[in-house]
Amino acid sequence: MRKIVIAGNWKMNKTPSEAAELATQIAALENNKAEVVICVPYVDIFAAKQAIAGSKVKLGAENVHWEASGAFTGEISAPMLVECGCEYVIIGHSERRQYFGETDETVNKRTKAALNAGLKVILCVGELKEERETGKTEEVVKRQVIEGLKDISAEQMANVVIAYEPVWAIGTGLTATNEQAEEVCAFIRALLKDLYCDCVADSTTIQYGGSMNAKNAADLLAMPNIDGGLIGGASLKPADFGVIIAAGDKA
Ligand code: PEP
């Protein structure tokens, strides 16, 4: 049985006091089977940690540097995140790739550092609109998965979640159809079989992300190869996030 992971990506939203309020509301949501994670801005980690204490909600960050310490002004390392109570970290989000020069190589370095420090990684992959329109989706996703997971062992894969996030669907209100999302998630699973083994392919959680919301979550999560969601906008609305968690509990 694969773990269903419903993760909120708060992006650059919420001050610490606002984060405490939102995390308190999320901690109060009913949650049975699905693993619920909130990935928050660095400055909100402390407030969110206090707010979710005693609940089943897990804490995550939105990025991490690959070095453990040193002269990297403005960066945060994996051991720092671990000591602050993070269990998860998002790596390779398309906004980092688009706006902050993230490459497959740096995604891989961050992934290795995070896993070595004991964090669980949500590795984001996904094609741009023009790549889908020119039939390059599988080529792009394949490259991102292979490069992102370079030198990651089968054992380490137990701590990797892959989030398929078509870039054209993120924050746009455009959602991939259930079939489009399922097709790429199934493609990623087949790729994991080639790269590792049946066991890794069958046990790795593969999320869909891209305008998942209270209305479309149940249908997306009912697809056989979609094991959760990475949710931006709707994760900031506790009632909507609660509906998505409930759909995850039933998946
Ligand atoms: C995301 O930030 O990963 C995301 C999928 O955002 P949204 O749900 O707002 O499209």
Side-chain angles (χ1 to χ4, degrees):
M1 278 298 284
R2 290 192 286 273
K3 202 192 277 180
I4 302 292
V5 181
I6 304 293
N9 172 18
W10 288 11
K11 312 196 188 204
M12 194 175 73
N13 291 297
K14 306 295 172 188
T15 64
S17 60
E18 291 167 345
E21 195 183 331
L22 177 57
T24 301
Q25 290 170 314
I26 290 172
L29 295 170
E30 193 177 329
N31 151 227
N32 299 306
K33 189 179 95 184
E35 175 126 306
V36 178
V37 187
I38 51 172
C39 297
V40 308
Y42 295 133
V43 294
D44 292 342
I45 288 173
F46 185 67
K49 184 183 176 213
Q50 285 188 316
I52 61 174
S55 78
K56 289 197 280 180
V57 178
K58 312 281 189 200
L59 190 59
E62 300 175 14
N63 192 22
V64 65
H65 195 266
W66 52 86
E67 294 291 345
S69 63
F72 301 99
T73 303
E75 293 295 324
I76 299 289
S77 74
M80 291 173 182
L81 293 181
V82 170
E83 195 169 320
C84 288
C86 287
E87 274 185 52
Y88 281 83
V89 63
I90 297 172
I91 295 180
H93 192 278
S94 65
E95 288 152 17
R96 304 261 3 136
R97 294 181 192 256
Q98 262 184 304
Y99 308 135
F100 301 101
E102 194 78 73
T103 64
D104 290 331
E105 192 189 348
T106 55
V107 166
N108 178 247
K109 286 164 90 168
R110 292 179 207 277
T111 300
K112 284 195 260 193
L115 292 172
N116 287 338
L119 289 164
K120 297 189 176 87
V121 170
I122 299 177
L123 173 65
C124 300
V125 299
E127 81 287 1
L128 302 169
K129 186 163 179 277
E130 51 272 30
E131 290 167 338
R132 174 160 284 267
E133 285 169 354
T134 52
K136 295 206 178 95
T137 298
E138 291 192 353
E139 183 193 320
V140 170
V141 168
K142 182 174 179 179
R143 191 203 69 229
Q144 290 175 338
V145 170
I146 291 177
E147 296 298 319
L149 295 178
K150 203 163 153 228
D151 302 324
I152 304 300
S153 68
E155 290 68 36
Q156 287 176 302
M157 283 302 292
N159 290 318
V160 175
V161 169
I162 297 181
Y164 167 57
E165 298 209 303
V167 181
W168 48 272
I170 297 177
T172 57
L174 285 177
T175 314
T177 63
N178 302 332
E179 292 70 28
Q180 284 172 325
E182 165 64 17
E183 191 181 23
V184 182
C185 290
F187 172 76
I188 293 170
R189 200 172 305 288
L191 185 56
L192 293 180
K193 188 176 163 179
D194 288 348
L195 292 174
Y196 295 98
C197 54
D198 279 342
C199 174
V200 167
D202 291 343
S203 58
T204 300
T205 295
I206 302 179
Q207 300 172 313
Y208 167 77
S211 300
M212 188 182 270
N213 59 41
K215 288 205 178 96
N216 60 27
D219 287 343
L220 284 160
L221 293 170
M223 302 307 277
N225 284 290
I226 301 179
D227 315 313
L230 181 56
I231 299 118
S235 74
L236 301 172
K237 299 177 192 153
D240 291 19
F241 198 49
V243 173
I244 299 172
I245 293 169
D249 278 342
K250 286 202 200 100

